[in-house]
C-alpha cells in the first residue's frame, strides 16, 4: 500500500494507476530513454534537509494526482530513479494547474471538510468526495514552501522553464498529420512558436497564483506565530530586574537566575542562535583571547563550536561596556564564573 500522512492508494489501485500512467506516456510519445532529471538543489543551493522535504511533497502529490486520475501530474511527480519503476520521461509536460490548485486547497482544509474547486465538489476517479483526514497546513509559509518545491521540480527540465503555456487547439489543427517536423503556428503563437504541447512552469499559471494567494491569506488570518519576536531594550531591562532581583533577595536558586541572565546577555551581544548559546561551556572562554588594560578586563573571546552556517569553530569578542554596566557581558560573565567556582 502506497501511503502518506493524509492519503493512500491500495495495492490494486496503485497497480492500475501505473498502467494508466504508462498508457498516457505511450500515447504522448514521451522520451523514456533519456537521463532521469533529479531535483538535488534548492534556489539557495544543495540543502539535504530541504531536498528531503521536497521529495516528500512530490510523493504525496503523486498519490493525490492518481486519486484524481491526473496521469500527467502523476508522471511528473513520480521520482523513481531506477528504470524498472520509472514513470517520469525526460521531456514531461508541466503539472496540471487545476491539480496543483486542488492540492493546495486540500492541504489547508480542516479534517473532513469537503474540497470545492470553482464552486463544484472535487471527486476522486471513483466519484467519491475528496476530503482530508487531517489539516496539514496551518501557516502561509507552507504554501510558499510547496510552490518552491514545484518550481524546483519544473526547472530541472528545459521545456518546463519560463511562463506556463497550455497547448493550443488551433495550433494542433494546423499541424494535424504534419510529418515535416516544421510546426505551423496560429496567429496567437506566431512569436512564441506553435503550442503543440503544454510547457512552462505551472506556478506561473494564473489559477495557481490566485489559489496560492487566497489560501495564504486565509491561513495568515488564523495562524498564531511562534518563535522569534522583537526584543526591545525595555524588555531586556525587565528580564534583568526580575532575574537579578531574585539574586539580590537571596533566593536559594540564585546561581540559576544568574546563569540565565548571563546566557541571555551573551546571546544578545553575540547574536547567537539558541542551540549555539546552550552549547557554551566555561571552557569556551579562550584564555589567549583575554585582553587586560590598566588592571581591567577589556574583552573576552568566546569560542562557538558549531553553527548553522559554519562547520568549524567561530571566535567572537565580548567587549566591556562602561556606559551601561548592567548590560556589560564581561562583568557579568566573570562574576558568574567566580560565583560558580
Amino acid at each position: 500500500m502506497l501511503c502518506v500522512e493524509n492519503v493512500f492508494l491500495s495495492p490494486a489501485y496503485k497497480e492500475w494507476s501505473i498502467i494508466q500512467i504508462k498508457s498516457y506516456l505511450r500515447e504522448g510519445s514521451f522520451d523514456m530513454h533519456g537521463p532521469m532529471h533529479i531535483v538535488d538543489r534548492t534556489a539557495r543551493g544543495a540543502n539535504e534537509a530541504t531536498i528531503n522535504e521536497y521529495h516528500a511533497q512530490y510523493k504525496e502529490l503523486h498519490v493525490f494526482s492518481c486519486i484524481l486520475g491526473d496521469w500527467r501530474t502523476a508522471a511528473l511527480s513520480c521520482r523513481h530513479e531506477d528504470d524498472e519503476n520509472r514513470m517520469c520521461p525526460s521531456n514531461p509536460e508541466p503539472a496540471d494547474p487545476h491539480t496543483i490548485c486542488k492540492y493546495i486547497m486540500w492541504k489547508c482544509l480542516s479534517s473532513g471538510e469537503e474540497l470545492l474547486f470553482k464552486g463544484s465538489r472535487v471527486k476522486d476517479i471513483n466519484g467519491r468526495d475528496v476530503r482530508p483526514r487531517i489539516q496539514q497546513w496551518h501557516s502561509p509559509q507552507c504554501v510558499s514552501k510547496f510552490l518552491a518545491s514545484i518550481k524546483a521540480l519544473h526547472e530541472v527540465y528545459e521545456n518546463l522553464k519560463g511562463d506556463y503555456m497550455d497547448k493550443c487547439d488551433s495550433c494542433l489543427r494546423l499541424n494535424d498529420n504534419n510529418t515535416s517536423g516544421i510546426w505551423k503556428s496560429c496567429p496567437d503563437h506566431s512569436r512564441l512558436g506553435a503550442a503543440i504541447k503544454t510547457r512552462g512552469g505551472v506556478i506561473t499559471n494564473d489559477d495557481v497564483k490566485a489559489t496560492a494567494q487566497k489560501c495564504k491569506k486565509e491561513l495568515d488570518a488564523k495562524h498564531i506565530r511562534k518563535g522569534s519576536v522583537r526584543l526591545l531594550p525595555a524588555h531586556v531591562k525587565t528580564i534583568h530586574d526580575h532575574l537579578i532581583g531574585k539574586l539580590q533577595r537571596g533566593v536559594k536558586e540564585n546561581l540559576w537566575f544568574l546563569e540565565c541572565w548571563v546566557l541571555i546577555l551573551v546571546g544578545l551581544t553575540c547574536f547567537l542562535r539558541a542551540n549555539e548559546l546552550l552549547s557554551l561551556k566555561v571552557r569556551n572562554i579562550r584564555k589567549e583571547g583575554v585582553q587586560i588594560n590598566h588592571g581591567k578586563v577589556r574583552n573576552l573571546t568566546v569560542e562557538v563550536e558549531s553553527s548553522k552556517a559554519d562547520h568549524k569553530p567561530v571566535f567572537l569578542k565580548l567587549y566591556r561596556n562602561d556606559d551601561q554596566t548592567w548590560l556589560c557581558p564581561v562583568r557579568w560573565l566573570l562574576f558568574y564564573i567566580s560565583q560558580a567556582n
Side-chain angles (χ1 to χ4, degrees):
M1 180 179 295
L2 181 57
C3 180
V4 289
E5 187 172 356
N6 212 10
V7 66
F8 67 92
L9 298 178
S10 66
Y13 191 87
K14 179 186 175 184
E15 291 299 321
W16 183 79
S17 296
I18 292 173
I19 294 171
Q20 299 306 310
I21 294 170
K22 291 185 175 180
S23 175
Y24 154 78
L25 294 172
R26 283 194 302 271
E27 291 174 6
S29 302
F30 291 95
D31 179 14
M32 298 301 295
H33 301 289
M36 176 71 179
H37 295 271
I38 305 301
V39 180
D40 59 1
R41 298 184 69 81
T42 70
R44 297 182 179 180
N47 185 312
E48 185 178 353
T50 304
I51 293 300
N52 290 338
E53 288 182 21
Y54 282 8
H55 283 275
Q57 294 273 21
Y58 303 150
K59 182 178 180 181
E60 188 172 65
L61 179 62
H62 172 75
V63 177
F64 186 79
S65 303
C66 289
I67 284 176
L68 297 185
D70 174 13
W71 313 122
R72 178 174 121 191
T73 306
L76 175 65
S77 55
C78 185
R79 310 311 299 159
H80 292 298
E81 297 182 39
D82 55 298
D83 292 333
E84 182 180 352
N85 295 309
R86 176 178 171 181
M87 286 183 284
C88 185
S90 298
N91 58 339
E93 291 184 307
D96 188 317
H98 287 181
T99 298
I100 298 299
C101 291
K102 292 170 185 175
Y103 179 84
I104 293 173
M105 296 168 66
W106 173 70
K107 295 282 281 187
C108 299
L109 291 177
S110 301
S111 175
E113 188 177 352
E114 65 181 6
L115 176 59
L116 299 175
F117 182 67
K118 295 190 175 182
S120 301
R121 288 181 179 177
V122 177
K123 307 281 186 180
D124 66 15
I125 202 166
N126 295 316
R128 296 172 298 195
D129 289 343
V130 176
R131 300 171 184 263
R133 292 170 52 236
I134 56 174
Q135 180 179 353
Q136 290 188 290
W137 289 354
H138 300 273
S139 165
Q141 193 66 23
C142 296
V143 180
S144 299
K145 288 181 178 179
F146 172 69
L147 293 178
S149 73
I150 295 301
K151 181 181 180 182
L153 176 59
H154 283 67
E155 288 191 342
V156 295
Y157 301 96
E158 286 300 320
N159 63 310
L160 302 188
K161 293 180 179 180
D163 292 339
Y164 179 84
M165 182 185 295
D166 216 334
K167 56 188 174 185
C168 170
D169 291 336
S170 298
C171 289
L172 290 171
R173 283 193 296 269
L174 285 172
N175 292 281
D176 192 25
N177 299 321
N178 183 354
T179 58
S180 67
I182 301 174
W183 305 109
K184 300 175 183 178
S185 304
C186 72
D188 291 337
H189 298 102
S190 58
R191 185 174 62 86
L192 298 172
I196 303 300
K197 283 190 175 183
T198 305
R199 61 179 185 263
V202 72
I203 67 168
T204 65
N205 175 266
D206 290 338
D207 284 338
V208 173
K209 289 193 287 187
T211 299
Q213 191 63 30
K214 179 175 179 289
C215 289
K216 281 183 180 181
K217 188 174 180 180
E218 291 175 353
L219 290 174
D220 191 49
K222 299 181 289 184
H223 181 57
I224 300 175
R225 287 178 172 81
K226 296 180 180 180
S228 299
V229 295
R230 289 188 301 174
L231 194 63
L232 301 177
H235 299 150
V236 180
K237 187 67 168 69
T238 301
I239 295 170
H240 165 272
D241 292 347
H242 172 74
L243 294 175
I244 302 306
K246 295 282 189 182
L247 176 65
Q248 291 172 345
R249 285 195 295 271
V251 178
K252 186 166 63 173
E253 299 86 358
N254 56 7
L255 192 61
W256 183 88
F257 291 108
L258 179 59
E259 181 181 4
C260 284
W261 170 243
V262 171
L263 282 172
I264 291 170
L265 189 56
V266 171
L268 291 173
T269 305
C270 295
F271 296 96
L272 298 180
R273 296 181 178 89
N275 64 312
E276 297 165 353
L277 180 62
L278 295 175
S279 66
L280 289 181
K281 302 289 188 292
V282 173
R283 67 172 180 269
N284 294 113
I285 302 172
R286 309 298 297 183
K287 293 180 181 179
E288 60 272 22
V290 177
Q291 182 180 352
I292 301 175
N293 190 9
H294 299 298
K296 295 181 180 179
V297 178
R298 308 307 303 179
N299 61 56
L300 300 172
T301 299
V302 177
E303 178 186 3
V304 180
E305 295 178 351
S306 63
S307 70
K308 185 177 181 181
D310 299 287
H311 302 291
K312 57 183 180 179
V314 176
F315 298 92
L316 302 174
K317 290 282 189 182
L318 291 174
Y319 291 95
R320 186 184 185 91
N321 185 346
D322 289 328
D323 294 327
Q324 298 287 340
T325 55
W326 68 276
L327 278 176
C328 178
V330 173
R331 283 181 171 87
W332 284 112
L333 189 52
L334 292 176
F335 179 57
Y336 169 72
I337 292 173
S338 68
Q339 293 297 307
N341 194 24

